[in-house]
Amino acid sequence: MKPVPFTYIQPRSVQHILDALAEYGSDARIMAGGQSLMAMLNLRLVEPKVLIDISRLEELRNIRIDDNFIEVGAAVTQAEFLSWPHLEQEAPFIARALPWVGHFQTRNRGTVCGSICHADPSSEIPLALALLQGEVVLRSKRGERRLKAAQFQTGMLQTARGDDELVVAVRFPRGVGTKGVAFREVARRHGDFAIVSVGIVDTGAGMLRIAVGGVADRPSCIEVPRTISSSDLAAIVETFAWDLGGFDDLHASARFRRDLVRRLVPSLVVETLQCAA
Ligand SMILES: Cc1cc2nc3c(=O)[nH]c(=O)nc-3n(C[C@H](O)[C@H](O)[C@H](O)COP(=O)(O)OP(=O)(O)OC[C@H]3O[C@@H](n4cnc5c(N)ncnc54)[C@H](O)[C@@H]3O)c2cc1C
């Protein structure tokens, strides 16, 4: 199948994008790396009248650090972020999770923000945003707002983004995970979407934050004390896994996904504590 005909816009500036979004609203689609959108267009799962290609806009291609956050602009590819020289030091969790996002070919075009906007429950970058309690920066002609990960992703492939809003950047808190971090995912092959992914960071406040992707309709987090006993942890993870619910698909049943959570979390807690020691 081929896409429905659309008008292609290559914007000159962010202002140009915001003008086009204000004019066309839900008839317009932003295209970043196109790694998810092109398939959706070809299958006619989406039928926009206007496609706004932001991939070559230099204004959006930057990684900035301020006192608290690493800000990744909307045109920064996953490969560019992965090769950012400060990644391991500033965001060790992302340094571990990013190589699992697709393949180097897809990472060369796919963007960090595009993955967050696509909001696939099995995706590693939304998992990282939820785990690190990052935020999404949205801009429209009405102004700018920032949403926490939990406010932004509202369900499977669903976000709180308005039709006239551009995600201009995502912001990851600096240094989270430097005291201990672990990531693992189970997928059919490396580069496939995760059946289940688990990330853990030591928050530095006596707590471990645990995020699970691929089970519920969005990444889900809990916190447990660093000093928790293995029996208490098993009980908490049991309840957490049940509460995630899960879904059956071609790759795994909901029951199998919950079982992976029960098995992966305790071993990753040990890994996080060892990494911190
Ligand atoms: C073979 C293959 C394997 C893959 N494996 C994985 C994997 O293991 N894990 C994983 O997480 N992903 C995987 N992906 C998806 C990949 O990571 C995509 O790059 C990502 O999901 C979307 O990023 P993109 O920049 O390509 O966005 P696009 O495809 O261009 O856009 C995706 C959606 O987000 C919207 N959007 C994009 N940017 C913005 C913005 N700035 N503001 C508002 N809306 C925006 C678009 O309108 C569209 O609805 C895979 C893709 C392929 C082709």
Side-chain angles (χ1 to χ4, degrees):
M1 235 157 142
K2 290 288 164 211
V4 293
F6 53 77
T7 302
Y8 176 78
I9 296 180
Q10 204 169 16
R12 295 175 301 278
S13 63
V14 169
Q15 192 53 49
H16 188 184
I17 301 171
L18 302 187
D19 289 343
L21 286 174
E23 185 175 349
Y24 298 108
S26 61
D27 284 335
R29 274 272 168 172
I30 299 291
M31 186 171 81
Q35 296 301 293
S36 300
L37 185 61
M38 288 306 291
M40 294 196 297
L41 287 170
N42 284 337
L43 292 167
R44 298 199 177 185
L45 295 174
V46 292
E47 299 186 344
K49 295 198 170 81
V50 174
L51 199 68
I52 306 168
D53 180 356
I54 65 170
S55 63
R56 293 186 206 164
L57 199 58
E58 283 305 314
E59 202 179 333
L60 293 172
R61 174 163 281 124
N62 41 48
I63 302 172
R64 269 197 291 261
I65 315 187
D66 66 16
D67 287 348
N68 302 313
F69 285 94
I70 307 156
E71 188 173 286
V72 183
V76 174
T77 65
Q78 296 149 9
E80 284 164 344
F81 196 28
L82 194 52
S83 61
W84 184 54
H86 310 291
L87 190 64
E88 174 65 36
Q89 185 192 337
E90 296 288 348
F93 180 77
I94 297 175
R96 279 158 186 74
L98 212 43
W100 292 83
V101 180
H103 313 271
F104 78 85
Q105 294 92 337
T106 62
R107 292 194 294 269
N108 277 339
R109 296 203 73 101
T111 61
V112 174
C113 289
S115 175
I116 284 162
C117 292
H118 189 56
D120 190 302
S122 296
S123 281
E124 295 82 359
I125 303 174
L127 179 90
L129 194 73
L131 179 69
L132 303 178
Q133 298 188 333
E135 54 189 38
V136 179
V137 186
L138 298 122
R139 201 178 296 163
S140 70
K141 286 183 89 170
R142 295 175 287 123
E144 187 171 292
R145 60 182 182 138
R146 290 179 186 174
L147 296 181
K148 288 281 178 203
Q151 300 167 308
F152 182 73
Q153 188 163 349
T154 54
M156 186 179 288
L157 309 183
Q158 301 290 323
T159 72
R161 173 187 164 263
D163 289 335
D164 63 342
E165 286 180 307
L166 171 72
V167 168
V168 283
V170 286
R171 288 158 60 88
F172 297 98
R174 290 181 65 182
V176 181
T178 47
K179 293 186 161 49
V181 66
F183 171 76
R184 193 158 327 144
E185 79 172 41
V186 174
R188 291 177 75 92
R189 294 165 303 194
H190 187 112
D192 282 6
F193 279 95
I195 292 173
V196 169
S197 56
V198 177
I200 305 186
V201 285
D202 186 331
T203 65
M207 303 296 281
L208 301 177
R209 193 179 305 126
I210 303 167
V212 169
V215 187
D217 64 354
R218 68 197 91 165
S220 313
C221 298
I222 49 165
E223 288 195 8
V224 298
R226 287 184 94 247
T227 51
I228 193 167
S229 67
S230 50
S231 57
D232 285 351
L233 178 64
I236 286 176
V237 173
E238 177 65 29
T239 310
F240 180 50
W242 272 119
D243 290 347
L244 291 172
F247 54 91
D248 299 332
D249 67 10
L250 236 95
H251 307 296
S253 64
R255 188 176 167 186
F256 180 64
R257 290 170 201 271
R258 288 194 297 269
D259 207 36
L260 284 174
V261 174
R262 291 185 195 100
R263 282 160 195 276
L264 288 175
V265 171
S267 72
L268 280 194
V269 163
V270 172
E271 196 178 315
T272 309
L273 294 173
Q274 281 171 351
C275 162

